[in-house]
Amino acid sequence: MKIFKKILAVTALTIIFSIVLKSSLLNTTVVAEISRQGAPIKVGLFSADLNDDYLIFLRKNFEDIQNQHPNEVIFTFYDAKFNQSTQNTELDAKLNEGIDLILLDMVNVNDIGDLISKISKYEIPVIVFNREPLTMDAIKSYKKALYVGTDSKQAGTLQGKIIIDAWNNHKDLVDKNKDNVLQYIMLIGERLNKTSIDRSAYSISTIQQAGIKTEELASPVLSWDRDTAQNTVDALFLRFGNKVESIISNDDSMAIGAVKALQKYGYNSGNKSKVIPIVGVDGAPEARDLISKGFMLGSPIQDTSIMANAIYTIGSNLAHGINPIEGTPYKLDETGAAVRIPYEEYTGPMFQ
């Protein structure tokens, strides 16, 4: 009987010890998880070009977020300078070192599949932004990936509407050769870039759907660069002269370059009889200033602070394993892999 009681006692102690041990391990895991969630999120922003006008202000907005939430997030910025090998090396190093969230502005959108596959092996959440892939297939293949950006089709459509309004209300000043055809130059950011493709196509199709005939004089690819745009438009104006009736740019940086080029010849400087309507995209502060002065016609604008906060909130949700759009006013688009921030039309007194 005594032996039986001893066996029961030992068994009971063993069970109790096992329960205590499991409880201790569980509590350690919970504490570690709480500690991890309580620590600042380490975010790596990998950009194709941090000197891009849009990225300059977006970076400033991310820095503002970090200053406002010093215990919640730490941003580190990487500039690939349009070199995919550089971006790959930087990304590999950070994945091996450890990171909580990746913000990816790809140098080459065609590499999206390889990059997402690489990141997924580390199970690190990733927000693709700025450069939109041609398809969302790669992003949809990884549950911790999303695209957060704009609707490039909407941007092109709004560009077209801005031109339509100018044509309808000030045709005498726009249609310089009175042939009832809008002769234009299209400034393209990148050839195989969905943003460029959509903005270019939808701006012109919107104009044509309004019953306005168009003729493309040139469509140079300028890599989103202001200085390249200025030099190119300078040469094109010498070639085509007064035949140029509008310049449609895939972004504000190139549009600003176009304004500077035309001002050399006395255009877009305040003389209402010497204007060539120029539209960009993004609403960069310098572009807004040119628009407000009447030197540039308009731009579909997208507030970078809104974009930065959307990327931060959605990325933070992914990093904490919750619904990415929780606590935001946004919805996933029809692909289920993208959140799109809308544009607003911004115009000025070019013809007033």
Side-chain angles (χ1 to χ4, degrees):
M1 188 67 177
K2 289 182 179 180
I3 294 175
F4 180 72
K5 287 182 178 180
K6 286 182 179 180
I7 293 173
L8 284 177
V10 171
T11 302
L13 287 171
T14 302
I15 293 172
I16 291 170
F17 178 79
S18 177
I19 291 172
V20 171
L21 179 61
K22 289 180 179 179
S23 176
S24 176
L25 290 173
L26 179 60
N27 287 338
T28 301
T29 302
V30 171
V31 169
E33 178 64 13
I34 292 173
S35 176
R36 189 192 70 78
Q37 291 186 354
I41 299 172
K42 294 182 293 184
V43 181
L45 186 151
F46 298 84
S47 175
D49 178 20
L50 283 178
N51 290 317
D52 175 84
D53 287 341
Y54 181 73
L55 263 297
I56 287 172
F57 290 100
L58 197 63
R59 175 177 180 168
K60 174 63 166 58
N61 296 139
F62 283 126
E63 291 171 341
D64 289 341
I65 290 173
Q66 178 173 307
N67 291 333
Q68 294 162 7
H69 307 279
N71 299 319
E72 296 178 17
V73 62
I74 298 173
F75 287 98
T76 306
F77 301 92
Y78 301 89
D79 187 357
K81 302 184 186 303
F82 269 110
N83 187 310
Q84 188 61 63
S85 295
T86 298
Q87 188 168 76
N88 292 343
T89 300
E90 292 172 338
L91 187 58
D92 288 341
K94 204 62 184 176
L95 286 170
N96 290 321
E97 176 185 326
I99 193 168
D100 299 314
L101 174 66
I102 291 170
L103 307 183
L104 182 61
D105 169 31
M106 300 163 293
V107 173
N108 185 353
V109 291
N110 294 326
D111 288 353
I112 181 64
D114 293 338
L115 293 176
I116 292 293
S117 177
K118 176 189 298 183
I119 294 168
S120 68
K121 292 176 182 177
Y122 292 82
E123 297 188 354
I124 303 299
V126 55
I127 298 288
V128 178
F129 74 103
N130 196 33
R131 281 177 172 74
E132 181 176 352
L134 294 175
T135 75
M136 289 293 158
D137 292 345
I139 294 176
K140 289 173 69 175
S141 71
Y142 179 39
K143 65 180 180 180
K144 294 185 179 181
L146 272 182
Y147 171 77
V148 179
T150 54
D151 185 341
S152 51
K153 296 177 182 178
Q154 183 201 19
T157 299
L158 287 176
Q159 283 186 305
K161 289 181 178 179
I162 293 171
I163 295 292
I164 291 167
D165 289 342
W167 179 271
N168 289 339
N169 296 320
H170 306 283
K171 187 177 179 181
D172 56 323
L173 296 175
V174 179
D175 188 16
K176 292 179 172 54
N177 57 12
K178 312 303 177 187
D179 66 349
N180 205 37
V181 177
L182 177 71
Q183 278 85 21
Y184 69 91
I185 292 171
M186 179 69 70
L187 305 183
I188 296 175
E190 293 176 78
R191 183 66 69 187
L192 298 177
N193 179 294
K194 190 174 187 301
T195 299
S196 285
I197 292 169
D198 286 346
R199 290 177 182 178
S200 301
Y202 278 80
S203 59
I204 298 306
S205 65
T206 299
I207 293 170
Q208 293 172 340
Q209 288 168 10
I212 301 172
K213 296 179 181 179
T214 64
E215 178 188 354
E216 182 179 277
L217 301 177
S219 55
V221 180
L222 306 173
S223 300
W224 314 100
D225 185 72
R226 179 189 305 197
D227 293 338
T228 305
Q230 182 172 344
N231 294 332
T232 301
V233 171
D234 188 327
L236 289 173
F237 186 78
L238 289 175
R239 177 182 174 187
F240 294 109
N242 287 334
K243 193 174 183 181
V244 181
E245 296 175 339
S246 181
I247 296 176
I248 303 170
S249 174
N250 284 170
D251 80 341
D252 280 342
S253 293
M254 296 184 295
I256 293 167
V259 172
K260 301 301 183 184
L262 294 182
Q263 287 180 334
K264 175 181 176 181
Y265 300 100
Y267 281 78
N268 294 39
S269 299
N271 184 344
K272 304 305 178 184
S273 65
K274 295 187 70 175
V275 295
I276 294 176
I278 299 175
V279 291
V281 181
D282 287 334
E286 187 174 350
R288 294 194 198 197
D289 181 59
L290 291 171
I291 292 168
S292 68
K293 292 176 179 176
F295 300 164
M296 181 172 156
L297 180 60
S299 176
I301 65 172
Q302 200 288 304
D303 192 322
T304 56
S305 66
I306 293 176
M307 176 63 74
N309 276 284
I311 292 173
Y312 168 65
T313 304
I314 292 169
S316 179
N317 286 344
L318 282 173
H320 287 105
I322 61 178
N323 186 332
I325 57 175
E326 183 174 315
T328 77
Y330 308 114
K331 296 180 180 179
L332 297 176
D333 71 358
E334 66 278 2
T335 69
V339 172
R340 301 185 184 277
I341 314 301
Y343 285 100
E344 295 181 3
E345 182 180 314
Y346 188 84
T347 58
M350 174 164 273
F351 297 101
Q352 296 175 8

